[in-house]
Amino acid sequence: MANAKKKSSGTKLTLAIFAGLVLGILFGLFMPGRYEGLLPAVDLISSLYMNALRMMIYPLVFCSLIVGIKGIGSVSATGKVGLQSVLYYCGTTLFASLLGLFLPRMLGVGKGVEIAMVESDVTATKFTSLLDTVKNLIPSNPIASFVNGDMLQVLVFAIIVGITCLALGNKAKPFVDFCEAFNDISVKVISVVMYCTPVGVFCSISTVVYANGSETIISLAGVLAALYITMALFILIVYGGMVKFIGKCPVGKFFKTIAPAALNAFGTCSSSATLPISKRCTDELDVPNEISSMSLPLGATINMDAVSILMSFMIVFFANACGVEVDLGLMIVVMLSNTLLSIGTPGVPGGAIASFAALSAIAGLPAGIMGVYISVNTLCDMGATCSNVVGDLACTVAMKQTCKLEKTNK
């Protein structure tokens, strides 16, 4: 009953966001005439909504990464299942980052597109060279890194603190418990803010359409189509190949069995809320409980392959549209940061917004592009969440063969 209510709530929110998106586009197209006087109010609401989201970005990333490192450490200690899960998820995420960076760059997505910002640009730290970036990785003043919005330094600081917490064990438990609590608070705040997303999307997309016109919408539709095609190919080739050649499971049977979980993830945009359905699917595929009970929750936490592809696609698109050079050094930095950030991306609707805000700052993109991205985030998030859940299930089925465990009675 509770799962049905969550699914219904997620579906209603998704439909409401779609309604806000469509109405916002229409309002933006007609605003230059009759409704132009409402632009300041609409822009104000859009700014308030985006500020509410940005408010929790840095504490969410910092605490999520520490909690994620703690989880990886404890799972690795359990042995074979945890180690294989971590290696699989990290490996596929790194590959997804590479694919997401090089493919849109080869396709030239965003080239020839001009995006007018709907808010004042914020001066971002420009990427100079890979060597200079490495030199500044370790923050001399971590507090200043948070204040100045230096996401790379925040990430490195979180990794150092997280590994130290693992080394200290019980001595660091009060701090880890605090991070877990603050992470839960951050996720809760963002979840509450997400209920305002239909209005926020309406205001954001209407101001974007007003500033850019229909050409921008057509350009975004093109990159969304390319993004969905890329994720579909990733599912069929990478996950399908994993299931067939490692898991020794017929690909058709796999996709037919996991369809309920994939559809639920697509409708709710939440991999965490899909866990019970995913567990039932792996039971039907005769995966031992010792594997599925560990691999699926871990996957919902750190397996963000499609989010990695999504972030890379959007970073390259906006970089080309804004005239920011995407050279090899910047691509490497974004790829590694993307892999780290995907571990801390919460499996809740809108969780990718924090990752995009962080990566766009690292890439030196103007803050104004957040309004454009947020407007299409739900359309991106639906496919990305579905792909991530399929990846969780593919890994779990593959590990049925590599771990060689007998199925236990449930």
Side-chain angles (χ1 to χ4, degrees):
M1 183 65 69
N3 291 333
K5 289 182 179 179
K6 287 182 179 179
K7 182 177 179 180
S8 176
S9 177
T11 302
K12 289 179 180 178
L13 180 60
T14 299
L15 293 175
I17 293 172
F18 271 124
L21 179 66
V22 174
L23 292 175
I25 293 173
L26 295 176
F27 187 76
L29 290 174
F30 290 105
M31 189 186 297
R34 184 176 179 181
Y35 304 106
E36 189 171 1
L38 296 176
L39 179 61
V42 173
D43 185 60
L44 173 63
I45 296 174
S46 175
S47 298
L48 290 173
Y49 171 71
M50 287 190 288
N51 287 340
L53 289 172
R54 292 171 181 163
M55 175 176 62
M56 303 307 298
I57 288 176
Y58 288 94
L60 177 64
V61 170
F62 178 78
C63 294
S64 294
L65 197 51
I66 288 182
V67 173
I69 290 174
K70 174 183 175 292
I72 292 174
S74 62
V75 169
S76 298
T78 63
K80 199 173 185 181
V81 176
L83 180 60
Q84 285 195 16
S85 299
V86 171
L87 290 176
Y88 171 83
Y89 292 135
C90 290
T92 54
T93 298
L94 187 61
F95 178 74
S97 296
L98 284 168
L99 178 65
L101 281 170
F102 284 101
L103 185 59
R105 191 165 183 259
M106 289 188 295
L107 295 176
V109 295
K111 288 186 176 180
V113 178
E114 293 183 1
I115 297 180
M117 302 303 162
V118 296
E119 60 179 56
S120 299
D121 292 349
V122 177
T123 302
T125 302
K126 294 184 178 180
F127 180 84
T128 53
S129 70
L130 184 60
L131 181 60
D132 290 336
T133 303
V134 173
K135 287 180 180 178
N136 296 321
L137 279 179
I138 299 179
S140 59
N141 186 346
I143 303 300
S145 300
F146 282 91
V147 174
N148 298 329
D150 192 329
M151 183 55 67
L152 273 178
Q153 291 188 352
V154 172
L155 285 174
V156 172
F157 180 60
I159 292 172
I160 293 173
V161 173
I163 293 176
T164 305
C165 288
L166 285 177
L168 290 174
N170 290 333
K171 291 182 179 179
K173 189 175 185 303
F175 178 75
V176 174
D177 290 341
F178 168 79
C179 289
E180 289 180 348
F182 207 98
N183 180 66
D184 292 340
I185 292 172
S186 301
V187 171
K188 181 63 176 177
V189 170
I190 290 180
S191 298
V192 172
V193 172
M194 287 306 298
Y195 284 104
C196 302
T197 298
V199 177
V201 164
F202 172 85
C203 295
S204 297
I205 193 64
S206 60
T207 52
V208 168
V209 172
Y210 173 76
N212 298 276
S214 59
E215 292 183 1
T216 298
I217 303 302
I218 296 174
S219 299
L220 287 173
V223 75
L224 284 174
L227 173 65
Y228 265 76
I229 291 173
T230 300
M231 289 192 292
L233 291 175
F234 193 84
I235 290 174
L236 292 174
I237 297 174
V238 178
Y239 296 150
M242 179 71 65
V243 168
K244 180 178 180 179
F245 297 109
I246 300 180
K248 307 299 181 183
C249 176
V251 177
K253 176 184 176 181
F254 170 77
F255 283 113
K256 181 179 180 180
T257 305
I258 69 166
L263 291 175
N264 183 77
F266 188 85
T268 62
C269 295
S270 175
S271 55
S272 298
T274 310
L275 274 174
I277 302 177
S278 298
K279 182 65 171 63
R280 187 177 63 192
C281 292
T282 55
D283 290 344
E284 295 179 8
L285 291 168
D286 295 325
V287 177
N289 183 61
E290 292 90 344
I291 294 176
S292 60
S293 62
M294 182 181 297
S295 176
L296 291 176
L298 184 62
T301 304
I302 70 172
N303 180 31
M304 299 294 168
D305 294 349
V307 173
S308 187
I309 294 175
L310 165 61
M311 294 298 101
S312 300
F313 248 85
M314 289 302 174
I315 289 297
V316 172
F317 172 80
F318 285 115
N320 286 333
C322 297
V324 178
E325 184 181 357
V326 185
D327 57 20
L328 181 60
L330 178 57
M331 289 174 66
I332 293 174
V333 172
V334 172
M335 180 190 69
L336 295 177
S337 301
N338 198 358
T339 303
L340 291 173
L341 280 170
S342 67
I343 297 175
T345 302
V348 297
I353 293 177
S355 292
F356 179 77
L359 288 171
S360 63
I362 292 173
L365 302 181
I369 52 95
M370 280 296 296
V372 184
Y373 174 75
I374 289 176
S375 300
V376 297
N377 175 71
T378 299
L379 294 174
C380 301
D381 205 14
M382 293 172 71
T385 305
C386 178
S387 179
N388 288 334
V389 168
V390 174
D392 299 344
L393 291 160
C395 169
T396 304
V397 170
M399 289 174 60
K400 174 186 174 183
Q401 295 296 323
T402 56
C403 284
K404 297 296 181 181
L405 297 177
E406 296 294 331
K407 186 177 179 182
T408 60
N409 294 326
K410 298 178 178 59

